[in-house]
């Protein structure tokens, strides 16, 4: 096989019919072979060879070019990155909204797919909000007539209005979800350019500030929550999903189930946090989840942030602190204390050390050996 010869398969929608598009660099051999495919046609408007999208045609393409060219199907076969969560799918907020006259709502098929794919409730709200803003930017255009031109026009509008890169990316994801998942046209807009991710330094607290936060509260449950978020490097969603059985005092680890990417992992359990947890368990007697509300339901994400806001205010910390700030601080402090980056990667549940490397930009250990010119 000539590795220089390759054909990329993409999904196309032409006259409301699904087609397979074949993209390749100018090559006489490939062009002759493509033309030899039965029922192949050239679409002048999209400037691409295409076949009706059927299982038979997909098999035919792979067999036809076997040993001659590599078939790149990265953009053709859809993948799901949704996360299976232990929570009830709730769209009551969607049905109970008071909307202005003429407002274009997200179609029910969109919500159905989000539920089937197991998306978290917070993600559902974000996707629906972003997608509806896109729909209502074109009030006189039916959803069935929206295409790549409108998508690009809307993205230009967001850029002109200085929308953040993260919000633009969320909007692209919500729009792509409709075309690729709801309409079953995977990677229909794979060539839509995304804004470059902004490289901003993480907010990190010092060990002293962490202790000030934890000691600032007299509430034992709140103290345990803050202590676990920091000492185990947990995400907020991971903390509220912890069960009593996930605290392993024999091995001094915390088991995190169904974390981001549907992965389980173990992380550290601090001795001081374990002591507080034992007192907390005797006093609060949780039934199922480690942290429960007044009616024994799982603790809410907003309650976690309220605890953080209160403790930072009492401790006199002026930085904007979230649960993820405590996780960032955990990783940064480990790195500053000489812990190998690969171990930090495992404790945080990152797929790659590239993700964990962001902490090298905020760790100050390497600065200690540098003599400030002001002090020379």
């Amino acid at each position: 096989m000539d590795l220089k010869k390759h054909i990329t398969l993409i999904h196309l929608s032409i006259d409301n019919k699904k087609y397979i598009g074949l993209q390749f660099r100018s090559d006489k051999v490939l062009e002759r072979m493509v033309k030899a495919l039965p029922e192949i046609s050239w679409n002048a408007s999209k400037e691409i060879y295409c076949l009706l999208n059927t299982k038979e045609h997909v098999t035919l393409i792979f067999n036809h070019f076997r040993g001659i060219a590599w078939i790149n199907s990265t953009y053709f076969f859809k993948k799901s990155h949704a996360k299976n969560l232990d929570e009830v799918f709730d769209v009551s907020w969607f049905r109970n909204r008071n909307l202005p006259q003429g407002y274009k709502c997200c179609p029910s098929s969109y919500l159905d797919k989000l539920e089937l794919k197991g998306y978290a409730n917070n993600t559902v709200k974000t996707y629906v909000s972003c997608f509806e803003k896109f729909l209502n930017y074109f009030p006189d255009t039916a959803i069935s007539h929206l295409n790549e031109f409108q998508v690009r026009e809307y993205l230009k509008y967001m850029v002109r209005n200085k929308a953040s890169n993260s919000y633009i990316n969320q909007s692209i994801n919500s729009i792509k979800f409709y075309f690729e998942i709801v309409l079953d046209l995977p990677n229909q807009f794979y060539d839509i350019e995304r804004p470059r991710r902004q490289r901003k330094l993480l907010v990190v607290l010092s060990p002293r500030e962490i202790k000030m936060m934890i000691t600032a509260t007299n509430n034992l449950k709140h103290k345990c929550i803050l202590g676990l978020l920091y000492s185990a490097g947990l995400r907020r969603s991971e903390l509220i999903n912890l069960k009593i059985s996930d605290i392993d005092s024999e091995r001094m680890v915390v088991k995190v189930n169904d974390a981001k990417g549907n992965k389980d992992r173990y992380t550290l359990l601090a001795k001081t946090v374990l002591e507080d947890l034992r007192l907390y368990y005797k006093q609060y007697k949780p039934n199922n989840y480690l942290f429960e509300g007044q009616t024994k339901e799982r603790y809410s994400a907003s309650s976690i942030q309220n605890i953080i806001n209160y403790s930072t205010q009492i401790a006199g910390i002026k930085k904007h602190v979230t649960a993820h700030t405590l996780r960032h601080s955990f990783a940064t402090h480990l790195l500053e204390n000489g812990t190998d980056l690969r171990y930090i990667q495992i404790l945080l549940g990152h797929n790659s050390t590239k993700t964990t490397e962001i902490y090298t930009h905020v760790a100050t250990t390497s600065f200690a050996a540098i003599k400030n010119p002001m002090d020379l």
Side-chain angles (χ1 to χ4, degrees), residues 337-350:
N337 289 328
T339 306
D340 190 290
L341 201 65
R342 288 169 295 179
Y343 293 131
I344 300 174
Q345 173 197 347
I346 294 169
L347 292 171
L348 294 178
H350 288 162

Side-chain angles (χ1 to χ4, degrees), residues 243-258:
K243 302 289 182 67
I244 300 166
S245 57
D246 293 331
I247 305 298
D248 188 342
S249 59
E250 289 294 322
R251 299 174 60 206
M252 291 304 291
V253 292
V254 179
K255 186 182 180 186
V256 183
N257 299 293
D258 294 326

Side-chain angles (χ1 to χ4, degrees), residues 80 82-85 87-91 95 107-121 123-125 127-128 177 181-182:
S80 173
K83 177 183 166 191
N84 294 320
L85 294 170
E87 65 178 16
V88 178
F89 187 78
D90 180 19
V91 289
R95 301 188 183 94
S108 58
S109 57
Y110 192 94
L111 289 169
D112 292 341
K113 283 291 185 180
L114 286 167
E115 181 178 9
L116 287 170
K117 292 289 181 181
Y119 277 73
N121 287 320
T123 306
V124 171
K125 287 183 179 180
Y127 270 44
V128 170
F177 185 87
I181 306 300
V182 179

